[in-house]
Structure formats: structure tokens, C-alpha cells
Amino acid sequence: MGIEPKKREGFSSGLAVFFATLGSAVGLGNIWKFPYLTGEYGGGAFLLVYLVCILFVGLPIMFGEFYIGRKTRKNAIGALSQLKPGSAWKYIGTMGVAASYLIMFFYSCVAGWVYFYLFKALLGDFAGITMETAKSQFGDAIIGPLSPILWQVIVMTVVAVVLAAGVKHGIEKMTKTLMPLLFVLIIICDIRALTLPGAGEGLNFLFQVDFSKLSAAAILTALGLAFFKLSLGVGTMMTYSSYFTEDNNLFATGAKVALSDTVVSLLAGIAIFPTVFSFGMEPGAGPGLLFMTIPLVFSQMPLGNILLVAFFFLTSIAATTAMLSLVEVPVAYFSEEWGMSRKKAAIGSAVGIAMIGILATLSVDKNSILGGYTFFGRGFFDWFDYISSNILLPINGLLTSLLIGYCIKRKDLELEFSNHGALNIKVIMPLFYFIIRYVSPFLLIVVFLNAIGVFKF
Ligand code: TRP
């Protein structure tokens, strides 16, 4: 059944494109995942591998997704079907839609904790907190069971409402107003963290490179994190770039977003690790790292509670704008290909995510209701995260790089990236083309085979 495309919405300016795309990239990945994974996998060496992954795998694939989206101006599945009609490439899009749900199942749970922490900060619950009470408060918050489910439902309601409002009035408005504020807040946090006694030890941990700490699992995790950070491998960047302005410089937008995103991750690391060491906590504390350190830093400074409210408010914003981009993938798909209204697609997706997401929420900790249900050592929460970040995203990225590198004419790529000759891409284009053909797929295959044990290096 052919449904005639309605007039499509889009972002209204280059600035809106930048903030929306950055709003997608910046999220719990920077403030929650990046610090705790860097802590778990040993600091500086992990960070270095991560940066290599961003530059040689993440960024080129982001450009690839931009090409697919803006060229076709369709949702992820529609875009691939149009680009290569009748081929199996559209399953990259199908896989993406599935992965975006999988990510949302656990992401909405963590976002719920952030909203809850904001609420607790508003109530002044963190006054006089110590390391022990920070730990026990976090334990209570995630085990629930009612409160974390309630917060997850609140999170999904917010996401559905904004998405139903549309691309310009929902996504664009949210991201443009609130992204710059987050930046300021993290810097204030950094200043406080850096003036704590023992801060130097935390910085050493983050920046000192010790390759003996690097395992194959660490490398695969760094690669998965690079995809997760730049919102790749599920069709988010394809979908968003389908709303980009015609004259947007795709290479420049990608580079600016990747750079700003990395800066935010580093700033979050700089806020968290000095605190960890200063209070004698474990850098490998896992998913609770952020929730135990930040209340401690702020509770010990003048006006701490106000800053704590602001910090968790802005982390909620970061998480929310990232979720908008995740759920926009199925919303665009269902509204364009199935003729559903945006409102129905947004509400339907949110309800589905909240329902299945409860499995993640109830299996976070070994004391959670479903904490005893593990399969091969992982509960639901960890499986959703592992399958999406470490398997689906990289496979999806590999297929995208092969599609762009080998199945699209170079001339077509040049036309789109240069905006039909308006931009000079003489230097960057050959570099990009070489990397996406040879370097990114090679790295992806090596890391993947190594991690599943086909060979060891
Ligand atoms: N990049 C976001 C973060 O770091 C999460 C995110 C948004 C994402 N859209 C995505 C991850 C698409 C993977 C794919 O929090």
C-alpha cells in the first residue's frame, strides 16, 4: 500500500540542527556510562582506545548515516529501501528499530533514577550525606520496587508528550533551550571536584595510560561506547539528518557534534573521578557511580543543595533529549510507513517501552525482585545493554560502512557531502572515503572476532 508522503517537518536552522544532534549524542552516555566504564576498565588506556574508536569508526559512520538520511529524507527503514530498492539493506533499518527499543528498555530505567534524584534533591534529602548513606540511598532508590517503576513511567510520559508535539515544536525547542545550560553546570561541578583534597589522584586515574590494564573485553566495550555515545547503529542519525537543512555542512556538523560530545564526557569524568578518590570510593563501582558521588560533592559545599537540584535537572534534560532521538526512530517509521499519526506512534512506543522496561528495572540489583533471574551471568538489564551496545550497534555500523564504502557511487556521495558543489570537500572527502572503506570495517571486524574469541591478540 503506497502512502503518499505528507509535507515533512524539519529543523529550522543550522543552529537547531547542531543542538538537536548534540542533544541526541549527549546523554546518560556521557554522565553515567562513560565515567563508570572508564572506572571499571582501568582509566587512561580505555579512554585512549575510546578516542581512537570515535575518530576512525564512530565519526565516519556518523557521516554515512547523515548521507543516508538527508539524501532520502525518510525514516531509517524507508531511507534504506529507497536508497537500494528491493535489496536486503533495509534490514539495517529494521535491526536499528529493534535496537532502539532494546536501548530504551534500560535507558528509561536509568533516566527514572535521575528524575527521582532530582525529586530527592528538591526535597533536600541529601543534606548531611556520608559515603555510607550515599550508598544506601542509591540501593533503596533502585530496588524499589514501586518507585523506580513509577519514575520510569513518568520518564516515558515526558518523552511521548514532546515527540507528539513534533520535530520543530518538540525536539528542536527542547534541545535548543537546554543544552547550553548543561555545559555550564558541569563546569561548576568540575571546579568543585578539582578543589577537593586528593583530586590529583582522580585525574591520574583518568589520564594515565597503562596498557597492561587493557583487555579484549575493554576494547569491545570502548567500541560499543563510541557507538552509543554518538547515537549510531540504530538509525537515530539517519532519522535526524532527514530533518537537516539542505545547506547544512554534514562533515562540519558531525565533527562539531563528536568533539563537543567528547568534551562533555571528559568534563563529566573530571567531575567524578577526583570525588571518587577523595572520598575513598571504588572507581569500578559500576552503574551507581554517578548517583553516589555527585550528591557527596555537592552536599559539602555552600549552596550545595541548589546546585544538586540544578545538576540532576540538567542530567534529566540530557537523558530526555537523548531518548527523544531514540524513540524518534520508531515514531518516524510508524508514522511514515504505516500512516499512523505521530501522536499514536509516540504513545504506542512509550507504552511498549515502559511495559518491557519494567523487566530491566526489576533486575538491576541482586536484591531486586527479578534479581535472581540471570542467564549466563546477566539479568535483563545487563542483557539489554550488552546485546544492543556490544553486538547490534557494531554489526549495524559495520553494515553501514560497507553500504557506504562499497555500494554507493563515490560521485553520489560527493554530490551530497558537497551540497551539490557548494562546499569544498577536496581534502576531507578522500580521507573519509578511505577510512570508511578500509579502516572502519577492518577495525570493527578485528575487535569483534577478538572479543568473541575467534582469535586473540
Ligand atoms: N547518545 C546517547 C547517550 O550517550 C544515547 C543515544 C541516543 C543513543 N540515541 C541513540 C545510543 C542511538 C545509541 C543509538 O546517552
Side-chain angles (χ1 to χ4, degrees):
M1 185 179 62
I3 293 153
E4 276 311 302
K6 304 172 229 131
K7 190 170 165 351
R8 258 178 136 252
E9 266 198 289
F11 297 127
S12 52
S13 66
L15 202 65
V17 164
F18 173 70
F19 279 121
T21 313
L22 187 64
S24 165
V26 170
L28 293 172
N30 312 65
I31 302 166
W32 167 71
K33 219 172 200 248
F34 171 83
Y36 98 74
L37 287 178
T38 307
E40 218 163 276
Y41 288 102
F46 178 83
L47 175 61
L48 195 68
V49 175
Y50 169 73
L51 293 177
V52 170
C53 292
I54 290 280
L55 205 59
F56 289 100
V57 189
L59 200 51
I61 290 174
M62 187 190 240
F63 295 149
E65 289 203 20
F66 281 177
Y67 170 81
I68 297 168
R70 200 182 59 175
K71 163 115 186 150
T72 60
R73 300 228 174 258
K74 287 221 154 96
N75 64 87
I77 298 179
L80 288 152
S81 322
Q82 173 171 330
L83 210 57
K84 290 276 160 197
S87 71
W89 288 109
K90 70 163 184 286
Y91 293 114
I92 298 186
T94 318
M95 226 169 98
V97 172
S100 74
Y101 281 124
L102 272 182
I103 294 175
M104 278 305 296
F105 295 153
F106 73 88
Y107 206 99
S108 58
C109 160
V110 181
W113 304 346
V114 175
Y115 279 35
F116 181 45
Y117 264 56
L118 168 61
F119 180 70
K120 277 163 71 80
L122 283 167
L123 296 181
D125 263 8
F126 297 112
I129 196 174
T130 63
M131 202 173 88
E132 276 66 41
T133 47
K135 275 189 185 156
S136 65
Q137 284 200 5
F138 179 66
D140 294 344
I142 64 171
I143 291 172
L146 274 184
S147 120
I149 294 176
L150 176 73
W151 287 103
Q152 191 172 25
V153 169
I154 295 175
V155 162
M156 289 319 300
T157 309
V158 172
V159 170
V161 167
V162 178
L163 284 182
V167 175
K168 258 198 199 83
H169 299 289
I171 299 173
E172 176 173 328
K173 219 167 166 181
M174 276 285 278
T175 49
K176 226 163 76 178
T177 345
L178 292 155
M179 288 309 294
L181 265 175
L182 173 72
F183 203 71
V184 175
L185 248 287
I186 290 198
I187 292 183
I188 295 176
C189 252
D190 281 343
I191 295 171
R192 173 58 200 160
L194 289 174
T195 49
L196 286 169
E201 213 185 318
L203 292 183
N204 275 344
F205 177 82
L206 185 57
F207 291 113
Q208 215 165 53
V209 178
D210 174 359
F211 281 111
S212 66
K213 289 183 183 162
L214 216 54
S215 58
I219 297 174
L220 180 68
T221 303
L223 186 72
L225 180 64
F227 274 88
F228 190 87
K229 276 305 325 108
L230 296 185
S231 304
L232 302 172
V234 316
T236 281
M237 288 306 181
M238 289 179 205
T239 309
Y240 267 28
S241 57
S242 75
Y243 306 130
F244 280 13
T245 48
E246 209 53 62
D247 61 354
N248 192 263
N249 182 339
L250 300 179
F251 283 139
T253 297
K256 279 191 286 191
V257 167
L259 184 69
S260 319
D261 178 71
T262 306
V263 168
V264 174
S265 294
L266 291 175
L267 290 175
I270 292 172
I272 288 174
F273 288 111
T275 322
V276 169
F277 283 89
S278 174
F279 287 89
M281 290 176 142
E282 257 304 303
L289 191 60
L290 163 78
F291 298 93
M292 294 186 262
T293 48
I294 292 294
L296 268 178
V297 194
F298 279 130
S299 65
Q300 316 227 335
M301 66 194 280
L303 299 180
N305 202 52
I306 296 177
L307 283 167
L308 206 49
V309 169
F311 182 84
F312 279 108
F313 173 62
L314 288 153
T315 308
S316 324
I317 297 300
T320 308
T321 55
M323 286 185 290
L324 295 178
S325 76
L326 274 160
V327 187
E328 178 63 19
V329 176
V331 167
Y333 167 65
F334 285 117
S335 64
E336 285 173 18
E337 306 289 321
W338 295 45
M340 245 183 224
S341 70
R342 274 191 72 90
K343 215 176 181 169
K344 269 209 185 111
I347 295 172
S349 291
V351 169
I353 289 164
M355 277 165 44
I356 303 180
I358 290 176
L359 289 179
T361 305
L362 294 182
S363 66
V364 166
D365 189 84
K366 55 180 181 316
N367 297 322
S368 304
I369 291 185
L370 301 178
Y373 293 86
T374 56
F375 318 91
F376 302 99
R378 288 192 174 89
F380 289 108
F381 184 99
D382 291 339
W383 272 117
F384 292 147
D385 187 5
Y386 183 82
I387 295 177
S388 53
S389 297
N390 288 18
I391 300 178
L392 289 181
L393 268 45
I395 290 183
N396 202 307
L398 174 63
L399 293 173
T400 306
S401 68
L402 296 177
L403 169 65
I404 297 290
Y406 296 93
C407 304
I408 306 277
K409 287 200 205 78
R410 180 169 175 160
K411 192 91 214 105
D412 289 341
L413 294 174
E414 278 171 359
L415 274 178
E416 190 64 34
F417 282 111
S418 70
N419 295 344
H420 296 265
L423 301 172
N424 179 351
I425 55 167
K426 280 208 181 66
V427 179
I428 177 107
M429 184 65 208
L431 208 61
F432 160 67
Y433 199 59
F434 178 80
I435 295 178
I436 199 131
R437 273 172 82 93
Y438 304 111
V439 184
S440 326
F442 177 76
L443 287 177
L444 276 162
I445 291 171
V446 170
V447 170
F448 200 67
L449 292 183
N450 179 53
I452 60 173
V454 174
F455 64 86
K456 288 278 162 221
F457 52 71

